Structures are given as structure tokens and as C-alpha cells.
């Protein structure tokens, strides 16, 4: 272990890194720029263009699923994932308490009621041991989340869902390229929703995809995301010689061909980008293991993570001091998700005591920088800074 013994930057000492090491940077190369330029020059810049279709085809083949539908965000994919089922208003959907607001917005935008579920204190994923206790006669769906790219115990979740006849929407916003028991996330639930926001492992700027093996769900989503029209089949099958029809209500969630072009080049590099993330994660784990007071987010043996985030669990009473000390050293460590019930809109839905796992995880979690373009020097400086700060704890 490196022993630094020097004064902390937060107390006036010399920082480990003069240049800040950011928490995240998108990986955008010349080939991405070229693809966007080509799309713009093609003049096909509107929605559901040839590059979008190509991206959908490649994504579908990569994940091993029947349908991958590109759209403007994971949030709209979640909205449509619940809209497509026409559940009676007021039906209940179980959503983990430790997640981004969008997992709850999907049901809420469809007049469904969310029931917050506690999460595991060691990895922030829905606590499957408690799951059945949230099920009532009004429950229609579960929305597990792959926190940090790390899928929860999906086999048990799907078994519980089957037993109670529940629909499962897996919020895979963070987990593109992660595998659970050898299968890519996206192929595990009834419907899965990816995000391609600028912070994600694969980015199209903003963007998302709804993925499913259910043909009927996919056919209706194609209509719902295209303003309630049957333009998709009109374009694909040239079913009519006239104009496409307005067959349902819907919204405009198709994604521009410019973003589609980015999706194609990003997906082609996804495995390589995720491999680099894994190298960095393994380096952190190798060099930070054994530090008193520091644990890692637990990843089960049957998960091959995409390392979307690298989280450390630290003593709760020191969390913000550690974050500030790391930042002073030039390592832009960050906190993440405030549990939903701690936010103004969701505060009626429970108290800290009702979500002990979620509170324990949140109170201990800090994120360290991780992204494919990180240099070896940067990853070494991160480790050096963490060791230095923990020596002074
Ligand atoms: C778990 C989860 N769900 C949904 C989203 C929303 O994704 P988007 O910004 O693509 O709507 C995010 C964004 O970070 C997320 O982390």
C-alpha cells in the first residue's frame, strides 16, 4: 500500500492532482463526430431515420432480444412501458426507494400509485427478501432498478412476479452491457428501459430505448412513440399507398437520425469501453481493499457489471468530510441519489425508519471517477488520494 504521510490538501497541503479528475466524461471520438456529420449531411435529420433503424437492429442483436425501440430518453421509455398496459388508475407499482425519480415517474404519469420498497444496504438494489411484503391485491407491476449497472436478483424477482401475475419493467438505465447469469440486461424482464444520456456508458446525447420480447407491446409502443400514428409500419411495410393513419393517442418520442448515428458508433465500441471501465474498477478494488472503514458496493458472483459507477461505502459520519477532502485532492468524488422519500414530492411516502436499507446505503455511499478515457495516471492518482484521505480519518 502507498503511504503518503503528507498534509491533506483540505488542510492546506499539496493536492494529489493539480488538475481535477472528473467523476465522468463521455467517450466521443472522431468516428462519432464523422457519423453525426454524415447524418447531418444526408439531410435526414428528423425522427426514426435510417441510422435510428440501424441502431435499433444492432442493439436488438447485441442484447439478444426481439425488439429495441430507440426514443428520446429512458424517462419516456418508462412512461410508455406502463402506458402500454392500460392498468386501471390507482393500481400499485412497487418501485425501489433508492432510485432516480424517473423509475417512479413511469407509473405516476399513468395515474398509477407507487409503493416504495426498501433496498439492500450493501448495493442499493431492491431487497428481494422484503418484496412480497409490498404486494397487495392492487399491485400490478414491479420496477426493479440496476443501480450502478449492477442488476438485482432478477431470477427471484421474476419468480415472485409470475406467482402474483405481475408485470416487470426493469429500469436498466445504467446497465447497458451488464450481464446476469450470462444474459444481457434488457433480456431479463417483460420490458426494460435503457438510458443513453450523456453520463451513460453508451451515449446519444440524450436518448433511451425500450426493449422487449413481447411483439404486442412493441407494436403498440411504435404507435405511442410516434404521436399515435402507424407511421412505423407505413414506412417499413409500405402497407398503404396513401398516408399513414392516426390510430391511437400518443406523443412525439421518436429520436432524431443524428442521435441514431451516434448510437451506431457508440454501440460498436460499447464492449471495449466497458472493458476499460472494468480494468479501472479492478484496479481500484485491488488497491483499496483492506482499508479500514472502506467497503465496496457488493456485486454478486452471477453478475458481470458494466461498471457504470464505482461506489465506495464509507463511515456515515465522515462521508461529506471524505468527499470534500477527496475533492481538495483533485478527485471529484460525488454523492448520489437521495432516497425518494427524502425528496419534496415523495415525502408523504414514508420515513427513514421504513427504509433502513436505503438509508444505510445512502448514508455510506460515495462515488469515485470512472470512465473509459481515464488515463492510467488518473486512476493511480485516485487511489493515492483515497489512501491519503483514509490515513487521516
Ligand atoms: C435509474 C435511472 N432511471 C432513469 C433515468 C432517466 O434517464 P433519462 O435521462 O434517459 O431519462 C436515470 C438517469 O440517470 C436513472 O439513473
Amino acid at each position: 500500500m502507498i503511504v503518503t504521510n503528507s498534509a491533506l490538501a483540505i488542510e492546506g497541503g499539496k493536492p494529489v492532482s493539480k488538475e481535477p479528475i472528473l467523476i465522468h466524461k463521455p467517450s466521443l471520438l472522431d468516428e462519432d463526430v464523422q457519423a453525426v456529420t454524415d447524418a447531418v449531411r444526408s439531410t435526414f435529420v428528423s425522427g426514426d431515420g435510417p441510422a435510428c433503424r440501424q441502431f435499433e437492429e444492432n442493439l436488438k442483436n447485441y442484447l439478444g432480444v426481439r425488439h429495441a425501440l430507440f426514443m428520446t430518453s429512458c424517462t419516456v421509455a418508462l412512461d410508455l412501458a406502463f402506458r402500454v398496459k392500460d392498468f386501471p388508475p390507482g393500481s400499485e407499482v412497487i418501485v425501489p426507494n433508492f432510485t432516480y425519480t424517473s423509475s417512479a415517474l413511469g407509473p405516476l404519469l399513468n395515474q398509477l400509485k407507487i409503493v416504495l420498497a426498501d433496498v439492500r444496504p450493501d448495493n442499493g438494489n431492491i431487497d428481494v427478501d422484503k418484496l412480497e411484503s409490498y404486494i397487495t391485491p392492487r399491485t400490478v407491476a414491479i420496477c426493479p432498478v440496476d443501480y450502478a449497472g449492477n442488476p438485482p436478483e432478477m431470477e427471484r424477482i421474476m419468480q415472485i412476479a409470475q406467482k402474483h401475475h405481475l408485470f416487470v419493467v426493469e429500469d436498466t438505465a445504467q446497465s447497458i452491457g451488464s450481464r446476469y447469469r450470462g444474459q444481457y440486461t434488457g433480456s431479463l424482464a417483460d420490458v426494460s428501459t435503457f438510458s443513453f444520456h450523456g453520463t451513460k456508458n453508451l451515449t446519444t446525447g440524450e436518448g433511451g430505448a425500450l426493449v422487449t420480447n413481447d411483439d404486442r407491446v412493441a407494436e403498440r409502443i411504435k404507435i405511442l412513440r410516434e404521436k399515435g400514428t402507424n407511421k412505423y409500419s407505413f414506412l417499413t411495410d409500405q402497407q398503404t399507398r396513401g398516408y399513414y393513419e392516426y390510430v391511437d393517442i400518443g406523443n412525439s418520442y421518436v429520436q432524431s437520425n443524428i442521435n441514431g448515428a451516434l448510437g451506431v458508433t457508440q454501440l460498436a465500441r460499447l464492449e471495449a469501453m466497458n472493458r476499460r471501465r472494468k480494468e479501472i474498477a479492478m484496479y481500484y478494488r485491488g488497491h483499496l481493499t483492506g482499508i479500514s472503514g472502506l467497503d465496496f458496493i457488493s456485486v454478486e458472483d452471477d453478475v458481470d457489471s458494466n461498471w457504470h459507477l464505482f461506489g465506495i461505502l464509507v463511515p456515515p459520519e465522515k462521508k461529506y468530510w471524505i468527499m470534500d477532502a477527496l475533492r481538495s485532492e483533485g478527485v471529484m468524488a460525488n454523492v448520489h441519489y437521495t432516497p425518494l422519500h427524502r425528496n419534496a414530492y415523495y415525502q408523504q411516502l414514508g420515513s427513514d425508519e421504513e427504509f433502513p436499507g436505503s438509508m444505510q446505503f445512502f448514508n455510506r455511499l460515495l462515488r469515485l471517477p470512472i470512465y473509459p478515457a481515464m488515463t492510467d495516471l488518473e486512476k493511480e492518482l485516485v487511489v493515492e488520494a483515497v489512501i491519503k484521505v483514509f490515513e487521516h480519518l
Side-chain angles (χ1 to χ4, degrees):
M1 185 192 282
I2 310 160
V3 178
T4 59
N5 272 335
S6 50
L8 289 172
I10 200 171
E11 290 164 359
K14 192 166 160 282
V16 167
S17 177
K18 250 177 32 205
E19 292 300 318
I21 302 171
L22 302 182
I23 190 85
H24 165 78
K25 273 187 207 167
S27 174
L28 295 167
L29 306 184
D30 286 349
E31 63 206 58
D32 300 305
V33 175
Q34 189 59 51
V36 167
T37 305
D38 291 347
V40 171
R41 287 198 196 285
S42 79
T43 73
F44 198 139
V45 292
S46 49
D48 195 18
C52 298
R53 294 284 178 105
Q54 186 66 55
F55 177 44
E56 290 182 338
E57 182 67 17
N58 297 356
L59 185 60
K60 180 182 101 170
N61 293 335
Y62 172 74
L63 298 172
V65 295
R66 288 180 60 76
H67 306 278
L69 300 172
F70 187 35
M71 45 191 84
T72 49
S73 70
C74 178
T75 305
V76 301
L78 283 157
D79 176 7
L80 295 187
F82 290 96
R83 175 104 35 107
V84 75
K85 297 300 283 188
D86 288 325
F87 291 124
S91 303
E92 294 173 5
V93 179
I94 300 171
V95 176
N97 174 252
F98 189 81
T99 187
Y100 194 62
T101 189
S102 303
S103 323
L105 290 178
L108 289 173
L109 288 166
N110 291 285
Q111 287 71 53
L112 305 175
K113 186 179 163 205
I114 55 165
V115 174
L116 297 184
D118 201 11
V119 303
R120 282 172 48 166
D122 61 341
N123 68 8
N125 279 337
I126 196 160
D127 187 337
V128 184
D129 289 340
K130 298 181 183 171
L131 185 53
E132 282 191 290
S133 70
Y134 302 108
I135 296 174
T136 75
R138 290 175 302 284
T139 309
V140 290
I142 313 171
C143 184
V145 176
D146 302 354
Y147 181 68
N150 185 23
E153 298 153 85
M154 283 307 294
E155 190 167 308
R156 285 180 68 202
I157 293 172
M158 294 310 288
Q159 279 166 356
I160 292 171
Q162 215 167 19
K163 181 172 149 197
H164 297 273
H165 309 289
L166 305 177
F167 182 59
V168 179
V169 177
E170 186 177 354
D171 183 345
T172 50
Q174 303 185 358
S175 72
I176 186 83
S178 293
R179 272 170 287 200
Y180 170 82
R181 302 191 176 178
Q183 271 180 273
Y184 283 114
T185 64
S187 62
L188 307 168
D190 295 314
V191 168
S192 305
T193 57
F194 289 102
S195 172
F196 306 130
H197 177 259
T199 54
K200 299 302 189 293
N201 292 32
L202 181 168
T203 186
T204 58
E206 297 280 350
L210 184 148
V211 168
T212 185
N213 283 322
D214 186 323
D215 297 347
R216 280 180 36 189
V217 164
E219 287 317 305
R220 180 137 191 252
I221 299 278
K222 286 176 191 167
I223 291 168
L224 294 176
R225 74 168 174 176
E226 186 54 293
K227 295 154 282 248
T229 73
N230 61 2
K231 189 173 174 186
Y232 187 94
S233 54
F234 167 77
L235 291 175
T236 312
D237 311 328
Q238 294 174 329
Q239 279 174 349
T240 64
R241 295 171 62 224
Y243 206 66
Y244 52 85
E245 259 194 89
Y246 316 141
V247 293
D248 203 338
I249 61 162
N251 213 324
S252 187
Y253 291 158
V254 284
Q255 182 66 288
S256 157
N257 204 45
I258 304 171
N259 303 70
L262 208 43
V264 173
T265 48
Q266 287 272 304
L267 181 58
R269 287 206 313 282
L270 179 66
E271 288 282 311
M273 292 192 288
N274 283 352
R275 262 197 308 278
R276 177 63 182 157
R277 285 175 178 271
K278 188 171 186 172
E279 270 170 28
I280 297 164
M282 291 306 117
Y283 181 84
Y284 286 167
R285 281 189 161 225
H287 288 78
L288 301 177
T289 296
I291 296 181
S292 167
L294 186 152
D295 290 314
F296 304 112
I297 295 184
S298 80
V299 179
E300 303 286 339
D301 290 342
D302 53 10
V303 167
D304 188 8
S305 176
N306 71 355
W307 295 102
H308 173 57
L309 307 176
F310 192 89
I312 54 173
L313 301 176
V314 306
E317 67 287 0
K318 301 273 176 62
K319 167 170 143 159
Y320 288 100
W321 181 84
I322 294 170
M323 185 179 81
D324 292 342
L326 284 171
R327 288 178 165 207
S328 300
E329 298 297 340
V331 171
M332 295 298 113
N334 213 343
V335 294
H336 213 209
Y337 298 156
T338 309
L340 287 181
H341 76 278
R342 283 276 188 110
N343 289 271
Y345 185 73
Y346 299 105
Q347 64 187 347
Q348 307 304 329
L349 296 181
S351 61
D352 290 358
E353 293 69 39
E354 286 167 78
F355 306 108
S358 184
M359 287 311 298
Q360 211 180 314
F361 186 66
F362 167 65
N363 284 333
R364 295 185 66 203
L365 178 67
L366 276 182
R367 289 168 53 197
L368 297 180
I370 190 164
Y371 50 89
M374 242 179 135
T375 64
D376 283 345
L377 177 64
E378 284 172 325
K379 82 179 187 216
E380 287 158 20
L381 293 175
V382 170
V383 163
E384 194 179 323
V386 173
I387 291 172
K388 182 179 173 188
V389 166
F390 273 76
E391 276 172 2
H392 290 78
L393 213 58

